[in-house]
Amino acid sequence: MKILVINAGSSSLKYQLIDMENESVLAKGLCDRIGLDGKFVHNANGEKLELDHPMPNHAEAIKVVLSHLTDAKWGVIKDVSEIAAVGHRTVHGAETFVEATVMDDEKVNVLDGLAEFAPLHNPPAVTGIRACMEVMGKDVPQVTVYDTAFHYGMPKTAAIYPIPYEYYEKYGIRRYGFHGTSHGFVSEECAKLLGKDIKDLKIITCHLGNGSSITAVDGGKCVDTSMGFTPLAGFMMGTRCGDIDPAVAMFIMNKEGLTPDEMNNIMNKKSGALGVSGVSSDFRDLDAGAEEGNERCRLALDMFTYQVTKFIGSYAAAMGGVDAIVFTAGIGENNAAMREDIIKNFAFLGAAIDPEKNKKRGEACIVSTEDSKVKVCVIPTNEELAIARQTLAVISK
Ligand code: AMP
């Protein structure tokens, strides 16, 4: 059975066709500059095709994808009917879509109505779903898979903000959490790697990339997560501030005469590692800067390590223990020194990194010592595969 996974942005559309028999990627690519001049990249059969191809809208982009998936030279299937379903990466389901869902016209309209929860991400997903419905017809299930879904069941004690309760009731303001597809995927892979039933494990998953979040997973379920009502919350990221005293925002707005949008932009785009270092949001640049003696690069790296440590520590307390800590995403998978610095802080829990194992890259592995009381794992995330798995599960119900 073959599942097409789509990740639609406002002017782009990434896709992967996955054969669920062996979970292999048959083809993948990108439609970029949709609505502009149109660039198309398609990888299949061990080769890469790059084309300038005008795509005035997402429906035309889907047509280009399908025609290449079935092309005599570049194709990997004979007919579009071989695609059993399409899984759409969708950021925010709010309290309406709390699990992966087969869409119909009415549900797409409801999802459209949730745009204000994720104004940059939800509208392009809706556009992608409508485009697929238009081009592929009603018989192919279009499944939405939500970044928020994995976190939805967290206890109210973790989800509700201590502000007047009416704002939760009126506007749905609560902690939702993000990167859920990734946290769910790596926690399942962690249980497999350890040869244990996930129901018996307390896992802390650290998705450390340009956007970062940490989740406490007890028995396979999210019990708390660092991101909140929006992906701005938690600890510092590449350009996002994470949790700060909320009064700081009002103070700066008053002093500098800023509008809410301008302040939002500063906290999302100009803060975090970039704001502290004044150099870059990319941790490789911070490493290089620190190496050359730039103190603010060093400070940004040390703050990140410290803040990640605090979240891991608080989640270990929240779960009454931790069996495994998982690192994933750009920094989590690649920055061995950062992992070592973080785990050193958990010697008091009996956690220890094996420096040799910690050098491995690109595969799921345990990087803690044999006798480490807490297992430390590096697990490459694979959100497309996770979306395909959830899509398959929904259509198999
Ligand atoms: P992501 O958002 O998951 O793509 O992660 C982006 C972050 O991962 C950036 O801060 C990069 O500096 C970091 N990163 C990606 N590749 C590497 C690498 N090979 N070594 C160290 N950091 C990396």
Side-chain angles (χ1 to χ4, degrees):
M1 192 177 282
K2 292 163 187 97
I3 305 276
L4 179 63
V5 176
I6 300 255
N7 184 350
S10 56
S11 63
S12 69
L13 187 148
K14 284 190 220 145
Y15 64 94
Q16 278 195 12
L17 184 67
I18 301 180
D19 185 346
M20 298 311 286
E21 298 302 322
N22 52 10
E23 298 192 331
S24 62
V25 177
L26 299 173
K28 64 176 178 180
L30 168 72
C31 302
D32 208 2
R33 298 181 63 83
I34 298 172
L36 301 168
D37 48 353
K39 305 266 178 212
F40 179 62
V41 183
H42 177 77
N43 298 273
N45 308 319
E47 288 190 75
K48 182 177 187 179
L49 171 72
E50 286 182 82
L51 281 182
D52 288 337
H53 198 307
M55 295 172 258
N57 53 47
H58 284 70
E60 291 304 316
I62 295 286
K63 283 185 195 162
V64 174
V65 172
L66 295 178
S67 73
H68 282 82
L69 289 174
T70 52
D71 181 75
K73 176 167 190 295
W74 290 99
V76 288
I77 50 175
K78 288 209 176 64
D79 194 88
V80 173
S81 62
E82 287 177 52
I83 300 173
V86 183
H88 294 265
R89 181 184 181 220
T90 316
V91 166
H92 218 307
E95 294 204 302
T96 309
F97 296 105
V98 301
E99 58 184 6
T101 306
V102 181
M103 300 310 271
D104 56 26
D105 288 338
E106 200 184 317
K107 286 184 182 140
V108 179
N109 290 339
V110 174
L111 179 61
D112 206 6
L114 301 179
E116 64 182 353
F117 283 96
L120 294 181
H121 295 104
N122 270 23
V126 168
T127 307
I129 299 160
R130 288 192 172 132
C132 285
M133 285 175 157
E134 179 189 327
V135 175
M136 302 178 83
K138 301 277 176 202
D139 290 341
V140 184
Q142 304 293 331
V143 178
T144 42
V145 178
Y146 298 90
D147 269 15
T148 46
F150 181 66
H151 305 301
Y152 185 71
M154 81 178 97
K156 272 192 159 181
T157 42
I160 299 297
Y161 290 125
I163 54 176
Y165 199 76
E166 68 191 78
Y167 296 125
Y168 165 59
E169 293 175 316
K170 268 206 279 196
Y171 305 120
I173 293 176
R174 49 160 285 177
R175 182 186 305 282
Y176 287 101
F178 299 88
H179 294 139
T181 312
S182 176
H183 288 291
F185 178 81
V186 299
S187 55
E188 276 171 27
E189 294 300 305
C190 168
K192 286 185 204 163
L193 188 65
L194 300 180
K196 297 245 168 83
D197 189 332
I198 197 164
K199 293 206 174 72
D200 301 327
L201 289 172
K202 294 179 196 299
I203 306 173
I204 296 173
T205 50
C206 307
H207 179 113
L208 310 181
N210 199 24
S212 296
S213 62
I214 298 183
T215 296
V217 185
D218 196 346
K221 301 218 173 337
C222 164
V223 292
D224 204 349
T225 190
S226 60
M227 282 179 169
F229 178 62
T230 73
L232 180 59
F235 50 98
M236 65 187 280
M237 309 176 208
T239 61
R240 290 174 234 166
C241 58
D243 298 347
I244 57 170
D245 177 344
V248 167
M250 273 78 80
F251 190 92
I252 295 174
M253 286 167 74
N254 280 334
K255 286 278 180 198
E256 307 250 326
L258 301 177
T259 63
D261 279 352
E262 285 167 339
M263 193 62 220
N264 200 28
N265 191 49
I266 288 170
M267 293 189 293
N268 272 289
K269 304 260 172 73
K270 297 188 175 162
S271 299
L274 172 66
V276 174
S277 70
V279 170
S280 174
S281 61
D282 190 304
F283 278 56
R284 285 167 290 199
D285 297 338
L286 300 183
D287 277 334
E291 194 81 357
E292 285 162 13
N294 183 316
E295 283 179 17
R296 275 168 53 189
C297 286
R298 183 75 263 155
L299 175 63
L301 289 165
D302 290 347
M303 284 170 64
F304 186 81
T305 305
Y306 178 66
Q307 295 193 4
V308 169
T309 300
K310 284 209 295 189
F311 265 97
I312 295 175
S314 66
Y315 288 169
M319 293 193 289
V322 53
D323 299 304
I325 298 170
V326 179
F327 289 98
T328 193
I331 299 165
E333 289 169 34
N334 294 300
N335 197 328
M338 176 73 72
R339 290 197 296 264
E340 198 167 335
D341 286 348
I342 293 166
I343 295 301
K344 265 186 202 155
N345 296 324
F346 295 99
F348 77 97
L349 289 179
I353 284 244
D354 179 325
E356 274 310 305
K357 292 182 187 164
N358 195 32
K359 286 182 186 155
K360 272 201 205 158
R361 264 194 185 174
E363 57 176 310
C365 54
I366 301 171
V367 298
S368 44
T369 57
E370 284 295 323
D371 59 355
S372 178
K373 290 208 177 78
V374 180
K375 299 294 168 211
V376 182
C377 306
V378 178
I379 300 183
T381 193
N382 188 340
E383 290 176 82
E384 290 79 14
L385 178 56
I387 290 169
R389 283 182 185 170
Q390 290 190 44
T391 301
L392 179 62
V394 170
I395 61 165
S396 307
K397 262 186 198 164

